[in-house]
Amino acid sequence: MVVELFTSAFCGPCRSARAVLTEAVRLVPRARLTEVDVADDPVRAEAAGVTSTPTVLVRTDDGAEVFRAAGAPSLAQALAALARAA
């Protein structure tokens, strides 16, 4: 499963989202966290339908999206999303 975090350089909530997702991935070692700076990769952000940062997507191993959150999710939300992706 993959957790995608779409961020921007001067985004305060992005730091919170990064901390929560890092902890969630630590607790669920099968999960992999990738971070995408929307300024560095606007094509990928647009393809994912990202319009604000932070945006979090959780995908299953076959690429199906099971969770999307605009803003920083709580640890409970992130872990629930990872459980759906498992």
Side-chain angles (χ1 to χ4, degrees):
M1 71 194 76
V2 176
V3 180
E4 295 176 296
L5 172 59
F6 290 85
T7 64
S8 53
F10 300 103
C11 169
C14 292
R15 286 187 286 273
S16 297
R18 185 180 303 109
V20 166
L21 296 175
T22 297
E23 179 64 8
V25 168
R26 186 187 72 74
L27 294 170
V28 183
R30 194 172 139 228
R32 188 169 38 98
L33 176 61
T34 62
E35 188 169 339
V36 179
D37 186 306
V38 297
D40 291 339
D41 198 345
V43 172
R44 185 169 171 189
E46 184 177 345
V50 172
T51 59
S52 64
T53 58
T55 294
V56 178
L57 304 179
V58 177
R59 298 181 189 276
T60 61
D61 290 334
D62 64 359
E65 183 180 313
V66 295
F67 178 80
R68 176 180 290 253
S74 68
L75 182 57
Q77 288 173 317
L79 291 173
L82 290 174
R84 280 191 295 245

